[in-house]
């Protein structure tokens, strides 16, 4: 019975190491592993316990882009299987599309905690609309809509979310004068700077 339990545990460990891409290194001393390998070992340990809550501190530190993608696939699996995953990270662009809620600390004090959409609405940060003019119409577009010239051939406007549809209707009325439109909502980095009290540029 004890032997069967040990063999089962070893198979489970091998399975978790394989899941994080470390099976080939399983017989090497951990001291010889790279930082990225040690990060993946930490994920294997989390998977081994099948926790209800996983606290991950900078989990992608030291990982190459492929390993980062694989790590987030594992995190998605954990969440799908009922694990609540809390990620502490300074790589905001990475976690932005992978979160249900955002918590922002400033000097150890919680200053924001809600969904990305709610925090964005509360902050009232501007949306950027960049129009690429067709056939030298940038000045005419600027005269009709305001904004500022970018690179000679584009016009950039900013507005709050509640004004976006009104601007889009005005842009639609310009017809063929506009070749393309790019809409950029506030990023998580902008929200972090706003809620942590840093000046937005």
């Amino acid at each position: 019975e004890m032997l069967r339990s040990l063999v089962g545990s070893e198979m489970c460990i091998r399975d978790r190491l394989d899941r994080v891409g470390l099976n080939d290194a399983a017989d090497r001393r951990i001291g010889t592993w790279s930082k990225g390998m040690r990060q993946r070992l930490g994920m294997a340990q989390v998977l081994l316990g099948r926790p209800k809550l996983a606290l991950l501190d900078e989990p992608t530190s030291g990982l190459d882009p492929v390993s980062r993608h694989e790590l987030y696939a594992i995190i998605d699996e954990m969440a799908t299987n009922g694990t609540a995953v809390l990620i502490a990270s300074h790589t905001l662009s990475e976690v932005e599309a992978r979160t249900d809620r955002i918590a922002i600390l400033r000097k150890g004090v919680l200053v924001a905690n809600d969904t990305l959409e709610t925090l964005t609405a509360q902050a009232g940060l501007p949306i950027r609309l960049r129009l690429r003019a067709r056939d030298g119409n940038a000045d005419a577009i600027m005269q009709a809509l305001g904004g500022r010239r970018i690179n000679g051939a584009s016009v950039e406007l900013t507005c709050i979310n509640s004004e976006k549809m009104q601007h889009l209707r005005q842009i639609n009325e310009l017809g063929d004068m506009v070749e393309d439109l790019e809409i950029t909502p506030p990023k998580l980095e902008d929200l972090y700077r706003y809620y942590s009290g840093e000046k937005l540029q």
Side-chain angles (χ1 to χ4, degrees):
E1 177 102 17
M2 179 71 135
L3 181 60
R4 240 180 293 145
S5 175
L6 287 170
V7 169
S9 295
E10 186 177 336
M11 286 174 66
C12 186
I13 290 168
R14 286 282 182 179
D15 179 56
R16 297 303 185 267
L17 288 175
D18 187 51
R19 181 66 187 92
V20 297
L22 290 175
N23 225 346
D24 292 341
D27 297 323
R28 287 174 37 203
R29 292 174 56 91
I30 293 173
T32 66
W33 290 11
S34 68
K35 182 178 181 181
M37 291 171 79
R38 279 180 259 150
Q39 285 287 84
R40 287 188 274 159
L41 177 62
M43 277 305 295
Q45 290 171 316
V46 169
L47 289 171
L48 197 59
R50 294 191 176 130
K52 291 185 178 178
L53 172 67
L55 305 174
L56 306 176
D57 186 16
E58 301 288 354
T60 60
S61 176
L63 297 182
D64 60 61
V66 172
S67 297
R68 281 187 170 128
H69 179 75
E70 290 170 353
L71 176 92
Y72 280 115
I74 292 169
I75 290 172
D76 288 344
E77 279 177 33
M78 291 170 63
T80 300
N81 292 329
T83 299
V85 182
L86 178 63
I87 301 173
S89 180
H90 289 93
T91 316
L92 303 182
S93 59
E94 250 183 35
V95 297
E96 182 169 5
R98 296 176 168 93
T99 57
D100 297 320
R101 293 184 70 84
I102 304 290
I104 297 173
L105 299 175
R106 179 174 188 245
K107 297 181 180 177
V109 176
L110 184 68
V111 293
N113 179 16
D114 215 314
T115 64
L116 188 59
E117 293 77 18
T118 301
L119 293 178
T120 300
Q122 288 172 350
L125 297 179
I127 295 167
R128 284 187 167 83
L129 306 172
R130 183 174 286 196
L131 296 81
R132 192 165 66 241
R134 187 187 302 275
D135 301 327
N137 280 305
D139 286 333
I141 291 171
M142 233 175 73
Q143 193 169 9
L145 303 176
R148 64 186 181 106
R149 291 276 297 270
I150 305 286
N151 298 330
S154 295
V155 175
E156 186 174 270
L157 310 166
T158 58
C159 65
I160 58 173
N161 192 55
S162 61
E163 298 170 348
K164 180 176 67 175
M165 293 309 295
Q166 176 189 342
H167 279 284
L168 291 177
R169 283 190 287 273
Q170 291 174 326
I171 292 166
N172 188 51
E173 289 172 7
L174 297 176
D176 287 343
M177 290 171 63
V178 178
E179 186 173 327
D180 196 12
L181 170 65
E182 183 180 307
I183 301 174
T184 308
K187 304 260 184 233
L188 181 52
E189 186 175 318
D190 300 323
L191 287 172
Y192 177 81
R193 291 203 319 256
Y194 175 85
Y195 284 104
S196 65
E198 291 184 33
K199 189 176 178 182
L200 289 169
Q201 297 189 10

